Structures are given as C-alpha cells and as structure tokens.
Amino acid sequence: MTVLRRELDRYSPGEKLPSSRALVDRFRVSPVTVSRALAQLAAEGLVVTRPGAGAFRARPRPSAAPGSDTSWQEVALSADGAADLVPRSVDASGVLVSLDAPPPGVVEFNGGYLHPSLQPERAMAAALARAGRRPGAWGRPPMEGLPELREWFARGIGGAVTAAEVLITAGGQSALTTALRALAPPGTPVLVESPTYPGMLAIARAAGLRPVPVPVDADGVRPALLADAFRATGARVFVCQPLFQNPTGAVLAPERRGEVLRIARAAGAFVVEDDFVRRLVHEDAGSLPAPLAADDPDGVVVHVGSLTKATSPSFRVSALAARGPVLERLRAIQVVDTFFVPRPLQEAALELVGSPAWPRHLRAVSAELKARRDAMTSALKLRLPEISLAHVPSGGYHLWPRLPEGADERSLASAALRAGVAITPGRPYFSAEPPAAHIRLSFAAVANTGEIAEGVRRLRDAWLEVRGG
C-alpha cells in the first residue's frame, strides 16, 4: 500500500489505476491484499473505486471559499435564553457507524440492516407497483395512517390494543423521537438500559434529556435497579427493548415483565417499548413472548414496532401504539413534525404484508439468520477463543463479545479496518462508564457465511496486531 500511495502522483485526478489483476501480478500478492490496500486508500480519500470499472485517483476536494467565517455559528448553536441551559449539541457518531457503508472490499460486521440478498426486493417492488395503481394511492392519507395498516400493527401487538390506538410513523427512529419529545420535557432524566442502542441515546441528548443507565443482564433489565433509578432521579420515562435487546440480545425474563410494569406504574412513569426486531427471529427460537403492551391495561407502555429491519433501510414504515391522553400528544407532535407518512409507502406496506411472499420471506430470513449466527459463533470460538461470548441470541442480527481485561476496543476497531473488516466498538452503547470493553459484530449485512468466515479471519489478524502477536 505504501508503494501505491507513493505512485499516485503519476496519475492525474480521475485517471484510472492499473487493474487489480495487474497489481496482483506486479507485486506477487493475493487479490485480498490488493483489495485491502485499495480499500484503505479509498477510506483516506485518495482513491475512488467504481464497481465494474476499477479504481481511479480521487479528485482534490474543493476547499472552502477564502474569507468565509462560520465561527459565529458556535454562539448561535449553543446559546439558549432559558434560565436552565440544556445541551443542544447532537452527536450522530454512534448511529453513523451502522449507517455508513465501509469501503469496497471491507467485510461489513458493523451493519444494522439486512444484506440486499436477504431483503425481499422483488416482493417490495411488486407491492409498490400494485400500490401505485390503487385508487387514491397518491392522495393525502389520514393523519394517523391508513386504517387497514393500523389494524395490522394492532393485531401484531395483541391484547386489547385497537387500531384507534395506533399511529403510523416513518421508521422506528422517528417513532422513538416522537415518543421522547411527548413524554419528557428538556432537562429531565430518562432511564435507559445499559448498554443500549446509540441511536436512542442520540435522540435523548438531542432533545436535551439526560440518559440515566439501568444495567441489563442475561434476563434483561434488572427490576431492583430500575426501581432504585426511578426513586433516585424522579424520571418519568424508561426506554427498553424487551425482545433481543440491542446490543446484548437479551430477552426480558417472564418473571420480570410484570415487575417492570408495576415499578413504572408506581413511579407514575411511561415505558417506551422498542420492539424493533420481532420479525427477525431465528429458526430455533421457539415461541416469542408477547409485547409488553399486550399485558398493559393502564396505558403505561408506549409501543414502537417497525417493518424496516425485516425489509429494507428505505422501507421506513413503523407504528406507535399508546392508550389514554398521551395518544393525542403523540399524534400532535407527529403531525407538526412530518404531517404524515407518504400514502404510496403505506399502501405498499399493506400490499407486502398481505401477499403470500411475506410469510415466505420471514421463514427464509429466520433460517438464514440462524445459519449466519452459528457460522459466526463457531468462527469466533475457533479463531478468537480469547474473547468471551456469554450469550448467543435466538433473534436479531448481531453478537456482543466481551474483550479480555485491558483490551482497547477502539484500537481493535482501527486495526480491524486496516485488515479489511469493519466492526463496532462497544463504548457508544453505554451512557456512562462501561464495565468492560466490548465489540458488536453483525452477521446480517454480509453476503454469506463464507464472508463471515473471512471476516473473522481478518479480525484475528487485527487482534494479533493490537496484542503484539
């Protein structure tokens, strides 16, 4: 790679570099080595790769216009005339880790969505085409969402939840944002699982809320510590993922479900249930527990469900379900923020979930996720026995290994990228100091089990590098 970087000056901006085959022959190295070198140069902004066309020297990035001065924005973005100042900075780094595609040739163990080969692309395309031909499909939908789609989400929650208690929203992230804005005023605490999804922490902080961690173990959130946190902070909101929690994969134990609801009810607080991967269950999971909202007659739970994880990152259709006066506040905030979810997308969702292709897709994904989980688990045990994998989930799309004492997860992530595999450091998943170093490894965003084996092999190389092996 050093030679390639030095020789880039021979090429004009936009000029094509020698083919990968030519580089393999010239340097007498493997195609993987060439791929890693080009990926690293692309990550540094020196090279642009185009699938099917090759690699090209990158054009210089335009510099800012001379004389521009944006320093005034530091004052404008931080000033708040209120007596009680609330932090207004927004840190999206924890979210971008799973949204940004890695450079070409890098194995994607940091992805948060299904690989295109697992997405129901043909079924979605057919559903969208049928939806576009429906009478009135391009008109304005009801603000709360199409009644038939609200009914479908309500049936998935079970219990006494009705379609009238469901709002259609534009993806789970949007639904969580609406929920936190509705339930917690700026400057107040919000209880969160620890560790938890960085995107939720970003939502809370962007809204001026103070995330307070409540530890999670193999059976989900610990009720005694949840009760202590409510008493100590006076919080009125707890956000949780009772099913295949991100990142631990834990499922809230049956004996804890009622305890969590009872504790929140006694504190006069809401539970925001992020039911994000119910449709990404593995083939060997057995029957799933019902959502917490199904066991909640008192309106404690605000439920978030989504189709996005099981379909495509661009199929942003989700739902908020709530009972009582809070429903009107949720509705008002959503209308102010987004008006409504585009009707063609809602119509396409109805077409998709009502088609014979939908259950076939879920069965295929269930089997494939189990195979990928098993492949990654086996590869880690073989090549990286030093790391600890305390829990192997039966749903979701990732593993949560703990690193040995003294390991530096950020150094490992950097070394892994140099070795050609992208992983996610664990630190952004904690709202306070983490108890140990972790990494999150996704097995859903890669092409197949062979790529998983290769990614773990590269991760082993990175591990040896940072440990001085």
Side-chain angles (χ1 to χ4, degrees):
M1 186 175 71
T2 302
V3 177
L4 280 179
R5 183 184 288 107
R6 192 166 54 239
E7 293 184 354
L8 282 178
D9 288 338
R10 298 181 182 178
Y11 301 92
S12 302
E15 184 177 353
K16 185 175 181 179
L17 275 61
S19 68
S20 295
R21 183 184 296 275
L23 293 173
V24 167
D25 293 341
R26 176 186 171 190
F27 293 107
R28 298 186 181 279
V29 295
S30 72
V32 171
T33 300
V34 171
S35 176
R36 291 182 189 175
L38 291 175
Q40 180 61 35
L41 293 175
E44 295 173 9
L46 301 175
V47 167
V48 175
T49 58
R50 298 172 190 158
F56 302 79
R57 183 179 176 185
R59 298 185 185 277
R61 295 178 180 177
S63 58
S68 62
D69 181 8
T70 61
S71 59
W72 65 271
Q73 292 186 3
E74 294 183 41
V75 178
L77 292 173
S78 61
D80 194 324
D84 297 321
L85 296 182
V86 176
R88 299 171 63 194
S89 61
V90 181
D91 181 6
S93 58
V95 184
L96 291 174
V97 167
S98 60
L99 291 179
D100 283 343
V106 174
V107 177
E108 191 173 356
F109 280 175
N110 64 331
Y113 296 99
L114 297 179
H115 187 269
S117 63
L118 295 180
Q119 297 174 18
E121 290 187 345
R122 292 179 61 183
M124 288 189 295
L128 194 58
R130 292 193 301 270
R133 295 192 296 267
R134 283 188 172 194
W138 296 91
R140 185 178 63 193
M143 297 294 178
E144 299 83 358
L146 297 180
E148 303 93 334
L149 189 56
R150 297 166 70 195
E151 174 63 32
W152 184 84
F153 274 107
R155 288 198 306 270
I157 298 171
V161 176
T162 68
E165 295 165 329
V166 173
L167 304 173
I168 302 302
T169 63
Q173 189 80 352
S174 174
L176 288 171
T177 300
T178 297
L180 287 187
R181 286 186 59 200
L183 302 176
T188 60
V190 56
L191 304 187
V192 300
E193 294 173 315
S194 182
T196 192
Y197 164 53
M200 198 283 301
L201 295 176
I203 290 170
R205 290 169 176 148
L209 305 176
R210 295 185 290 109
V212 177
V214 184
V216 170
D217 62 20
D219 291 323
V221 69
R222 297 168 60 182
L225 296 181
L226 178 63
D228 290 343
F230 273 124
R231 282 193 296 268
T233 64
R236 292 293 179 266
V237 181
F238 169 52
V239 185
C240 65
Q241 295 173 326
L243 187 66
F244 308 131
Q245 196 259 358
N246 185 6
T248 66
V251 176
L252 187 62
E255 63 274 13
R256 294 187 180 183
R257 291 167 56 90
E259 274 290 280
V260 168
L261 295 179
R262 182 191 62 78
I263 290 167
R265 181 71 182 85
F270 289 97
V271 173
V272 178
E273 178 185 25
D274 183 10
D275 201 16
F276 72 117
V277 286
R278 180 165 292 274
R279 296 170 183 87
L280 292 187
V281 60
H282 300 171
E283 195 173 44
D284 59 349
S287 60
L288 298 183
L292 288 181
D295 301 326
D296 169 39
D298 299 326
V300 172
V301 178
V302 173
H303 177 90
V304 177
S306 177
L307 284 172
T308 304
K309 290 294 186 185
T311 54
S312 159
S314 290
F315 205 81
R316 306 203 64 75
V317 178
S318 62
L320 269 171
R323 293 169 172 163
V326 70
L327 182 64
E328 181 54 35
R329 182 178 292 187
L330 292 166
R331 176 183 179 276
I333 289 177
Q334 171 163 309
V335 168
V336 168
D337 283 351
T338 61
F339 290 177
F340 47 76
V341 177
R343 183 162 188 154
L345 195 55
Q346 294 191 55
E347 298 279 7
L350 274 173
E351 289 282 355
L352 177 65
V353 300
S355 71
W358 179 242
R360 289 199 301 268
H361 164 66
L362 294 182
R363 286 193 297 269
V365 169
S366 177
E368 183 64 23
L369 288 179
K370 176 187 179 298
R372 290 167 176 238
R373 179 204 67 193
D374 291 346
M376 180 174 278
T377 302
S378 298
L380 289 173
K381 289 180 179 178
L382 176 66
R383 294 190 177 273
L384 285 165
E386 302 91 337
I387 70 174
S388 171
L389 191 59
H391 177 63
V392 178
S394 56
Y397 53 90
H398 59 263
L399 300 177
W400 180 243
R402 175 171 173 160
L403 303 183
E405 187 72 26
D408 185 339
E409 62 188 45
R410 294 192 181 276
S411 295
L412 178 58
S414 297
L417 191 58
R418 291 193 296 271
V421 57
I423 65 174
T424 307
R427 181 64 184 87
Y429 290 79
F430 293 90
S431 61
E433 291 75 13
H438 291 80
I439 55 175
R440 198 190 78 152
L441 303 176
S442 169
F443 46 80
V446 294
N448 48 49
T449 55
E451 194 169 6
I452 290 174
E454 173 61 18
V456 174
R457 188 193 68 75
R458 297 181 187 183
L459 184 57
R460 174 66 178 178
D461 292 344
W463 175 254
L464 293 176
E465 176 188 331
V466 299
R467 300 298 279 186

